[in-house]
Amino acid sequence: KSERRMGDDNELYVRYYVGHKGQFGHEFLEFEFRPNGKLRYANNSHYKNETIIRKEANLSAAVMGELKRIIVESEILKEDDKLWPPPDRVGKQELEIVLGKEHISFTTSKLGSLVNVQSSQDPDGLRIFYYLVQDLKCFVFSLISLNFKIKPIG
């Protein structure tokens, strides 16, 4: 679902959510990159009585530039989720991106592996989504671990 809207040509906003409601309640992972460079991260797992983990970090223009490069090179803005599997009892994923005047939002089921992607009605589009999500998660986990190191590297 892509839409044109008024906005700053350089604006960048990204939000990703994956979660489900199950035996341990509402469990999810969510992160967002805001246009001002703020990264917000939340991981809510009740497994073994874990509590919600929340982290925030302020990112440099260079890091935000890298995020923009990852998104642009993925070509996700050309995709549409109408043939993707809808959310189900296993859970759902949401990805929202604002890049300049483009605003796109995707919703699909949790994807366990590439087998789920290959068997979908739009394997090419879903593969782009799947790999972009993997890249974004790695990017976020790297930024969080770098920003919250207990002992300095050295």
Side-chain angles (χ1 to χ4, degrees), residues 14 16 31 67 69-77 95 97 106 126-139:
V14 178
Y16 173 74
F31 54 81
L67 173 65
R69 184 196 65 76
I70 291 167
I71 290 165
V72 169
E73 287 187 4
S74 76
E75 299 189 333
I76 192 70
L77 296 171
L95 178 64
I97 299 170
F106 301 102
L126 203 53
R127 187 178 309 105
I128 289 170
F129 175 85
Y130 179 85
Y131 282 123
L132 175 60
V133 164
Q134 299 306 313
D135 290 346
L136 291 175
K137 283 181 182 178
C138 287
F139 192 56

Side-chain angles (χ1 to χ4, degrees), residues 8 23-24 64 81 117 137 143:
D8 181 353
Q23 121 184 44
F24 298 108
M64 293 299 285
D81 65 358
V117 172
K137 283 181 182 178
L143 291 169

Side-chain angles (χ1 to χ4, degrees), residues 46-126:
H46 298 298
Y47 180 70
K48 294 188 177 177
N49 295 319
E50 287 290 323
T51 59
I52 191 164
I53 298 166
R54 291 187 191 275
K55 304 277 185 191
E56 286 191 4
N58 292 309
L59 307 175
S60 69
V63 172
M64 293 299 285
E66 180 63 11
L67 173 65
K68 182 177 181 177
R69 184 196 65 76
I70 291 167
I71 290 165
V72 169
E73 287 187 4
S74 76
E75 299 189 333
I76 192 70
L77 296 171
K78 296 177 182 176
E79 299 304 323
D80 190 311
D81 65 358
K82 69 180 173 235
L83 296 176
W84 296 1
D88 56 22
R89 65 174 180 74
V90 176
K92 76 174 176 177
Q93 296 184 83
E94 298 172 351
L95 178 64
E96 180 181 6
I97 299 170
V98 175
L99 181 58
K101 293 185 172 147
E102 293 287 326
H103 182 187
I104 198 155
S105 184
F106 301 102
T107 303
T108 190
S109 62
K110 284 173 76 174
L111 301 169
S113 70
L114 277 174
V115 173
N116 303 113
V117 172
Q118 294 300 95
S119 62
S120 75
Q121 292 181 11
D122 178 17
D124 293 335
L126 203 53

